[in-house]
């Protein structure tokens, strides 16, 4: 089992920045690729970003490319999502998820473990 806890969400004005953290506990964190997803009200869950188990490979959805940066610190068992130039349409609950293996996966159904989510609200 892997337990994931997100933090760092909040209310920010458009153009501002937030850094989300996802702390992992349980099984060896470095064995898992990590993903970030979000879900806005009345919308389906959306893939945001992925990082390989070692941190050497990353991938972003077009909607956040150039604005968001994913990173991880395996010594601290934490994955981060730095969000810059935030827009009102970024408002959502943000979730981190873990999946064993090294493949790039953007389908949330294929992830093994999920956090409880953290709310991000961007005002215009």
């Amino acid at each position: 089992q892997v337990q994931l806890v997100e933090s760092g969400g909040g209310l920010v004005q458009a153009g501002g920045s937030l850094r989300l953290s996802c702390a992992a506990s349980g099984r060896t964190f470095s064995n898992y690729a990590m993903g970030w997803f979000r879900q806005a009200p009345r919308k389906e869950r959306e893939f945001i970003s992925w990082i390989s188990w070692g941190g050497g490979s990353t991938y972003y959805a077009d909607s956040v490319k150039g604005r968001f940066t994913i990173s991880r610190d395996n010594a601290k068992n934490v994955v981060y999502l730095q969000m810059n130039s935030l827009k009102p349409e970024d408002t959502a609950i943000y979730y981190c998820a873990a999946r064993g293996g090294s493949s790039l996966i953007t389908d949330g159904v294929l992830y093994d473990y999920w956090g409880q989510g953290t709310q991000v609200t961007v005002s215009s």
Side-chain angles (χ1 to χ4, degrees), residues 3-120:
Q3 292 78 41
L4 302 172
V5 179
E6 301 95 337
S7 62
L11 174 64
V12 63
Q13 289 187 332
S17 299
L18 282 174
R19 188 177 79 157
L20 304 184
S21 300
C22 172
S25 60
R27 293 188 175 181
T28 305
F29 178 64
S30 58
N31 289 345
Y32 292 84
M34 299 296 295
W36 282 97
F37 296 77
R38 67 186 181 188
Q39 188 164 20
R42 299 174 297 281
K43 291 188 176 181
E44 293 187 354
R45 183 173 59 197
E46 176 189 13
F47 165 81
I48 294 300
S49 186
W50 170 92
I51 188 167
S52 61
W53 61 268
S57 298
T58 58
Y59 183 79
Y60 300 91
D62 288 343
S63 58
V64 304
K65 195 176 298 181
R67 299 188 298 124
F68 290 11
T69 302
I70 191 171
S71 61
R72 67 190 294 164
D73 186 338
N74 286 344
K76 295 181 179 180
N77 288 358
V78 181
V79 62
Y80 303 100
L81 186 68
Q82 177 67 43
M83 307 186 295
N84 299 328
S85 302
L86 283 162
K87 305 174 182 180
E89 50 263 44
D90 293 318
T91 295
I93 299 175
Y94 283 70
Y95 300 89
C96 64
R99 186 181 188 278
S102 58
S103 299
L104 166 60
I105 299 293
T106 61
D107 186 346
V109 171
L110 299 177
Y111 279 75
D112 302 311
Y113 304 102
W114 290 82
Q116 83 291 347
T118 185
Q119 176 71 48
V120 171

